Amino acid sequence: MRLSRYFLPVLKETPADAQIVSHRYMLRAGMIKQASAGIYSWLPLGYKVLKKIENIVHEEQQKAGHIPMLMPTLQSADLWRESGRYDDYGQEMLRITDRHDRDMLYGPTNEELITDIFRSYVRSYKDLPLTLYHIQWKFRDEIRPRFGVMRGREFLMKDGYNFDLTKEEALHAYNRHLVSYLRSYERMGLQAIPMRADGGPIGGDYTHEFLVLAETGESEVFYDSEITDLTFGDRAVDFDNVAECQAVLEEFTSRYARTDETHDEALFNEIPEERRRTARGIEVGQIFYFGTKYSEAMGANVQTADGQQVPVHMGSHGIGVSRLLGAIIEASHDDKGIIWPEGVTPFHVGIVNLRQGDAETDAACQAIYDSLTALGLEPLYDDRDERAGGKFATMDLIGLPWRITVGPRGLKNGVVELTSRRTGESEEMPAEDAVKRIVAIYENV
Amino acid sequence: MRLSRYFLPVLKETPADAQIVSHRYMLRAGMIKQASAGIYSWLPLGYKVLKKIENIVHEEQQKAGHIPMLMPTLQSADLWRESGRYDDYGQEMLRITDRHDRDMLYGPTNEELITDIFRSYVRSYKDLPLTLYHIQWKFRDEIRPRFGVMRGREFLMKDGYNFDLTKEEALHAYNRHLVSYLRSYERMGLQAIPMRADGGPIGGDYTHEFLVLAETGESEVFYDSEITDLTFGDRAVDFDNVAECQAVLEEFTSRYARTDETHDEALFNEIPEERRRTARGIEVGQIFYFGTKYSEAMGANVQTADGQQVPVHMGSHGIGVSRLLGAIIEASHDDKGIIWPEGVTPFHVGIVNLRQGDAETDAACQAIYDSLTALGLEPLYDDRDERAGGKFATMDLIGLPWRITVGPRGLKNGVVELTSRRTGESEEMPAEDAVKRIVAIYENV
């Protein structure tokens, strides 16, 4: 993309009402614009990152054998009356009346709707196991929306639902989700720690929240420092293998890691003192096993091999897709702006032309742009007639992890400059080598 | 995908309340399920086609230089009061009150919101031309929703907005949209004819609707039969070239083609009688140039080169993404089910195993499945323990354009059967040749 043809409305001033760094940078980098309280338009740059995150979630869910679909945003109140949650949910549920005076609502979650779909079609144990998921906009009418997309009212969430014949099989689905979530977050450049959590309004005894450590986190967390040494890495995993998924669960949840909701001071104090950590965390996902809570209330039964009717065992599993942008920025920035991990960066590399209009420099930039594009990468080429300082400031603010700087002086020596946003280190090299380096960097992302 | 692991709840019986063929087949093929009146869940098969259509729209819009972003579903009523449309829009606008008693609405379109974004950031003619678009769910509280996704209440639409300094430049944007729409529909296997239309509540003197001819269409249309001979084909087009885009507009709109709203009997009768056609059509898109209607009402001005403030020239351009599924099925089906065009089919090819459990047949199916998958294609492998008749009926109903049938008798002679869903013709050939044929078919899709 050539910047002269893009819509990237960066702001020089820090917006007054943005209290946390991710909110400030998303506004300044022209990623979002508030449409009304807690509701945002995703400007082109923000939309690109949102899509990258969505794609990672889709890919990892499908690798785990989970099936994508899409439920609508508006739901009938009737289903929620069946489950008993219509009254339980307070004012955070946006209630709507349509022209025929029917009670509707903007879905804050989808247990009822998916259970209704299941019971409409599935009759036999032979159709299990089944896990369906979708990525759809939700609404939660927060009394005081704040922190930008971190606590918005209209937000994008992935929510998945497993249906299994037995508790054991449902717990395998739970483990599959844990594994796929670990992989997803790591691809986004995040360390998200599964912590024992509280069921809340969804219900369920088995539940883990995934938290990203960050000063601005809404939860206080307590953990054994050994847990931050764990990484999933690129190990292969067979999602059909019960023992293998169970082993990952045990590896990642056997050490103490809890939010303030479930914190147990006595247990915490059993950890050697030098490993005890207290910090703040941002919740970016949660997995639940809640058994037959919804299937019993809504009559979602299947026939077993010996002809009995039994309620299906369920769980639900969510990733906060839109809030992840905020979480990633909270975890990865400096005082100049955002530093995108390679897995979610909106453009793979920035190209800065130090002398726009100079025929040789323009041609060199264009050649680099064309090579990268032909290799399937997306560069953002700052081809505006601006001063170098302004171009660098924009690139730093929007946080592309790599920058190629092209100027007449370097070209005279046959070199361009390749700069890492994270370290700030620059290296001079021929343009073709810079292109090769960028290709190599993204080969394994 | 192996069918035993998929969620494809096909129905044997025709749902009683479905009046048109696309609605019937989408329900029977397990593509959608009604959640409430005019609101649908997209089951996995339907969701896959929806995504294919979305991707074609995204690709063609971006080829035309238009920039993707995303506006929220809920909007504040204030912006609609500014444009004067809050009162104009009748009961089809779903009005919502949040917990703080603020007036909100579920966006039926986005002229106000995009104009607000534009005026917040863009000050100078130097930032023009600019075309932004998004694909987002909309809501229109139809008094009598019907025909499935063809006239739903919650529906997915692509809407794009161009901002230009002059009327001439805005008309070039109009033409770019016309070209990109022609390309998009053709990739979906549709002939959509641009017809002179009426501005309606959006406003505008220049507007064309794109109509797909089908018996179940909601509009009566009148056209010169020569128009159905026109195809865009794979001609290259330079979207920056004003004359080139204008020539396409002229080629595709110079013959008589109008809906009943703009029909002119006298003009129609000037066409030689043998070329006069009356038919029904399904509206799948519309483009508008409406000048400064919104920019004047909402103060969206830019500074010209000589320092003047002028309101920006705008147009808006929509494609009915979710309704396109219905339109495609109306245009492409037979009495056995859907016939997907290759460009939007949910799976590229079906594999039918005639003797599940027979080691040699299973291995042959698996080998074909693995080859196709390795080549980047998505087969749907019916690996259920069902009779051949039932498997064929399912494949015919869900409409995959190609089927490979594998059975012990054929394997003894070293062949499988490749069948075209459209013609019903079958050919026997070695499995590797069938794979090669499928690859060749999709190479240019």
Side-chain angles (χ1 to χ4, degrees):
Chain A
M1 177 60 68
R2 299 174 77 103
L3 194 43
S4 63
R5 297 187 142 221
Y6 202 51
F7 182 59
L8 182 72
V10 299
L11 305 178
K12 291 226 172 64
E13 275 128 56
T14 295
D17 57 337
Q19 297 167 41
I20 60 171
V21 67
S22 60
H23 191 192
R24 281 199 295 273
Y25 281 150
M26 288 182 78
L27 291 169
R28 284 195 51 210
M31 295 179 65
I32 53 171
K33 179 183 187 305
Q34 182 172 296
S36 33
I39 303 180
Y40 291 87
S41 290
W42 296 79
L43 303 180
L45 194 74
Y47 175 71
K48 272 185 89 77
V49 181
L50 191 68
K51 279 281 142 192
K52 292 252 176 144
I53 292 175
E54 247 191 89
N55 283 343
I56 290 173
V57 173
H58 271 304
E59 285 176 14
E60 294 300 329
Q61 287 309 300
Q62 289 174 52
K63 278 182 204 157
H66 306 157
I67 304 174
M69 60 171 300
L70 189 64
M71 287 173 273
T73 61
L74 297 198
Q75 304 179 20
S76 160
D78 294 341
L79 285 176
W80 289 72
R81 292 199 176 101
E82 249 189 88
S83 73
R85 287 207 294 179
Y86 190 63
D87 296 322
D88 293 356
Y89 247 91
Q91 283 198 283
E92 287 201 359
M93 178 186 273
L94 186 68
R95 292 155 208 263
I96 299 170
T97 308
D98 74 6
R99 70 189 294 174
H100 295 298
D101 279 329
R102 282 175 296 216
D103 291 330
M104 312 280 297
L105 55 95
Y106 200 121
T109 175
N110 288 66
E111 281 80 9
E112 283 77 2
L113 201 46
I114 197 78
T115 305
D116 181 55
I117 289 169
F118 181 87
R119 71 180 174 185
S120 302
Y121 298 113
V122 183
R123 299 273 172 269
S124 163
Y125 74 98
K126 288 182 198 162
D127 295 324
L128 304 182
L130 176 65
T131 296
L132 298 166
Y133 79 91
H134 74 160
I135 300 180
Q136 178 60 293
W137 292 91
K138 313 278 190 294
F139 202 89
R140 185 175 51 194
D141 202 357
E142 294 265 359
I143 190 158
R144 200 162 77 82
R146 57 191 183 282
F147 305 151
V149 299
M150 296 274 281
R151 187 165 290 200
R153 294 199 294 165
E154 186 170 326
F155 61 100
L156 188 61
M157 196 169 116
K158 171 261 163 181
D159 41 325
Y161 304 88
N162 68 286
F163 300 92
D164 289 278
L165 186 61
T166 63
K167 180 174 175 178
E168 290 64 44
E169 286 166 32
L171 289 178
H172 173 53
Y174 185 91
N175 296 347
R176 277 200 317 270
H177 281 90
L178 181 122
V179 175
S180 67
Y181 281 26
L182 289 172
R183 290 166 60 108
S184 303
Y185 296 125
E186 281 195 17
R187 283 184 61 186
M188 297 172 199
L190 282 179
Q191 180 170 49
I193 303 170
M195 300 200 181
R196 187 179 287 202
D198 185 59
I202 308 260
D205 304 327
Y206 292 75
T207 176
H208 283 91
E209 260 180 1
F210 290 80
L211 286 111
V212 172
L213 301 178
E215 282 165 31
T216 47
E218 72 272 56
S219 313
E220 193 170 11
V221 299
F222 305 85
Y223 62 95
D224 179 338
S225 67
E226 283 190 352
I227 210 161
T228 53
D229 299 333
L230 299 174
T231 54
F232 192 83
D234 56 0
R235 51 180 120 169
V237 61
D238 173 2
F239 283 99
D240 289 334
N241 186 320
V242 172
E244 202 175 321
C245 293
Q246 175 68 21
V248 176
L249 174 92
E250 282 164 16
E251 178 184 351
F252 280 83
T253 65
S254 59
R255 289 174 190 79
Y256 191 93
R258 297 195 180 187
T259 65
D260 41 11
E261 286 172 345
T262 54
H263 180 52
D264 180 327
E265 193 69 25
L267 267 180
F268 186 57
N269 286 334
E270 288 174 14
I271 309 170
E273 191 168 0
E274 70 278 11
R275 281 170 27 203
R276 276 179 232 154
R277 295 285 185 281
T278 306
R280 299 204 69 84
I282 301 170
E283 190 208 323
V284 292
Q286 189 159 6
I287 54 178
F288 294 93
Y289 161 72
F290 45 66
T292 57
K293 174 178 169 173
Y294 296 91
S295 53
E296 283 192 47
M298 297 180 65
N301 300 319
V302 290
Q303 188 162 32
T304 62
D306 53 8
Q308 284 189 298
Q309 290 287 325
V310 296
V312 73
H313 284 257
M314 292 175 59
S316 71
H317 315 279
I319 292 183
V321 173
S322 49
R323 92 175 331 225
L324 269 166
L325 278 94
I328 294 168
I329 297 172
E330 292 294 334
S332 182
H333 66 271
D334 63 15
D335 57 4
K336 294 182 197 156
I338 301 163
I339 305 172
W340 290 116
E342 275 85 356
V344 298
T345 183
F347 293 96
H348 296 106
V349 55
I351 304 171
V352 168
N353 183 332
L354 291 178
R355 195 168 301 164
Q356 201 70 40
D358 173 69
E360 203 194 338
T361 315
D362 291 359
C365 287
Q366 189 64 46
I368 294 169
Y369 184 87
D370 291 342
S371 304
L372 288 164
T373 306
L375 291 159
L377 292 167
E378 263 196 299
L380 180 67
Y381 171 21
D382 191 343
D383 61 342
R384 297 170 305 162
D385 189 13
E386 292 266 339
R387 302 206 322 201
K391 290 188 176 190
F392 291 147
T394 297
M395 285 291 175
D396 285 345
L397 174 63
I398 68 171
L400 308 187
W402 299 94
R403 188 183 79 209
I404 298 174
T405 308
V406 184
R409 195 180 309 170
L411 290 177
K412 209 167 283 171
N413 301 319
V415 295
V416 300
E417 198 181 59
L418 178 64
T419 307
S420 157
R421 174 69 181 88
R422 190 168 293 279
T423 66
E425 280 163 26
S426 292
E427 263 185 88
E428 294 195 330
M429 61 188 78
E432 313 83 70
D433 292 359
V435 168
K436 275 184 210 151
R437 282 277 292 277
I438 296 295
V439 170
I441 286 163
Y442 284 100
E443 219 145 37
N444 298 311
V445 169
Chain B
M1 179 60 67
R2 300 174 78 103
L3 194 42
S4 63
R5 297 188 143 222
Y6 202 50
F7 181 61
L8 182 72
V10 300
L11 305 178
K12 291 224 171 66
E13 275 128 56
T14 295
D17 58 334
Q19 298 167 39
I20 60 171
V21 67
S22 60
H23 190 192
R24 280 199 295 275
Y25 281 150
M26 287 183 79
L27 290 169
R28 284 195 51 210
M31 296 179 65
I32 53 170
K33 177 185 189 303
Q34 183 172 296
S36 34
I39 303 180
Y40 291 87
S41 290
W42 295 80
L43 303 181
L45 194 75
Y47 175 70
K48 272 186 90 77
V49 181
L50 191 69
K51 278 283 141 188
K52 293 252 176 144
I53 292 174
E54 247 192 88
N55 283 344
I56 290 174
V57 173
H58 271 304
E59 285 177 15
E60 293 300 329
Q61 287 309 301
Q62 289 174 52
K63 278 182 203 157
H66 306 156
I67 304 174
M69 59 171 301
L70 189 63
M71 287 174 272
T73 61
L74 296 198
Q75 303 179 20
S76 160
D78 293 342
L79 284 175
W80 289 72
R81 293 199 176 101
E82 250 188 90
S83 73
R85 286 208 293 178
Y86 190 64
D87 296 321
D88 292 357
Y89 247 90
Q91 283 197 282
E92 287 201 358
M93 179 185 274
L94 185 69
R95 293 156 209 262
I96 300 169
T97 309
D98 74 6
R99 70 189 293 173
H100 295 298
D101 279 328
R102 282 175 296 217
D103 291 332
M104 313 280 297
L105 55 95
Y106 199 122
T109 175
N110 287 65
E111 281 80 8
E112 284 78 1
L113 201 45
I114 197 77
T115 305
D116 180 55
I117 289 169
F118 181 87
R119 73 180 173 185
S120 302
Y121 298 113
V122 182
R123 300 273 171 269
S124 162
Y125 73 97
K126 288 182 198 162
D127 296 322
L128 304 181
L130 175 65
T131 296
L132 298 167
Y133 80 92
H134 74 160
I135 301 180
Q136 178 60 293
W137 292 91
K138 313 278 191 293
F139 202 91
R140 187 174 50 194
D141 202 359
E142 293 267 358
I143 189 158
R144 202 164 75 82
R146 57 190 185 283
F147 305 151
V149 300
M150 296 275 281
R151 189 166 289 200
R153 295 199 293 165
E154 187 170 326
F155 60 100
L156 188 61
M157 196 171 117
K158 172 261 162 180
D159 41 324
Y161 305 88
N162 68 285
F163 301 92
D164 289 277
L165 186 62
T166 63
K167 179 174 176 179
E168 290 65 41
E169 286 167 32
L171 289 178
H172 173 53
Y174 186 91
N175 296 347
R176 276 200 318 270
H177 281 90
L178 182 120
V179 176
S180 67
Y181 280 27
L182 290 172
R183 291 167 59 108
S184 303
Y185 296 125
E186 281 195 17
R187 284 184 60 186
M188 298 172 201
L190 284 177
Q191 179 170 50
I193 304 170
M195 300 200 180
R196 187 180 287 202
D198 185 59
I202 308 260
D205 305 328
Y206 293 76
T207 176
H208 283 91
E209 260 178 2
F210 290 79
L211 286 112
V212 173
L213 301 179
E215 282 166 30
T216 47
E218 73 271 55
S219 313
E220 193 170 12
V221 299
F222 305 85
Y223 62 94
D224 180 339
S225 68
E226 283 190 351
I227 211 162
T228 54
D229 300 332
L230 299 174
T231 53
F232 192 82
D234 56 1
R235 52 180 119 169
V237 59
D238 173 0
F239 283 98
D240 289 335
N241 186 321
V242 172
E244 202 175 323
C245 293
Q246 176 68 21
V248 176
L249 174 93
E250 282 163 16
E251 177 184 352
F252 281 82
T253 64
S254 59
R255 289 174 190 78
Y256 190 92
R258 296 195 181 187
T259 64
D260 42 11
E261 286 173 344
T262 54
H263 180 53
D264 180 326
E265 194 68 25
L267 266 181
F268 186 57
N269 287 333
E270 288 174 15
I271 309 171
E273 191 167 1
E274 69 279 11
R275 279 171 27 204
R276 278 179 231 154
R277 294 285 185 282
T278 306
R280 301 203 67 84
I282 300 170
E283 191 207 321
V284 292
Q286 188 159 4
I287 54 178
F288 294 93
Y289 162 72
F290 45 68
T292 57
K293 175 178 168 173
Y294 296 90
S295 53
E296 284 191 47
M298 297 180 65
N301 299 319
V302 289
Q303 188 161 35
T304 63
D306 54 8
Q308 284 188 298
Q309 289 288 324
V310 298
V312 73
H313 285 257
M314 292 174 59
S316 70
H317 315 279
I319 292 184
V321 173
S322 49
R323 91 174 334 223
L324 269 165
L325 278 95
I328 293 168
I329 296 172
E330 292 294 334
S332 183
H333 68 269
D334 63 16
D335 57 5
K336 294 182 197 156
I338 302 163
I339 305 172
W340 291 117
E342 275 84 358
V344 298
T345 183
F347 293 96
H348 296 105
V349 55
I351 303 172
V352 168
N353 184 332
L354 291 180
R355 194 167 302 163
Q356 202 69 42
D358 173 68
E360 203 194 339
T361 315
D362 290 359
C365 287
Q366 188 65 46
I368 293 169
Y369 184 87
D370 291 343
S371 304
L372 289 163
T373 307
L375 291 159
L377 292 166
E378 263 195 300
L380 179 67
Y381 171 21
D382 192 342
D383 61 343
R384 296 170 307 162
D385 188 13
E386 292 266 339
R387 302 206 322 203
K391 290 189 175 189
F392 290 147
T394 297
M395 284 293 175
D396 285 345
L397 175 62
I398 69 171
L400 308 187
W402 298 93
R403 186 184 82 210
I404 299 174
T405 308
V406 184
R409 196 180 308 169
L411 290 178
K412 211 168 282 173
N413 300 319
V415 295
V416 300
E417 198 181 60
L418 178 65
T419 307
S420 157
R421 173 70 183 86
R422 190 167 294 278
T423 66
E425 280 162 26
S426 291
E427 261 185 90
E428 294 195 332
M429 59 188 76
E432 312 81 73
D433 291 359
V435 169
K436 274 184 209 150
R437 282 277 292 278
I438 297 293
V439 170
I441 286 163
Y442 285 101
E443 218 145 41
N444 298 312
V445 169

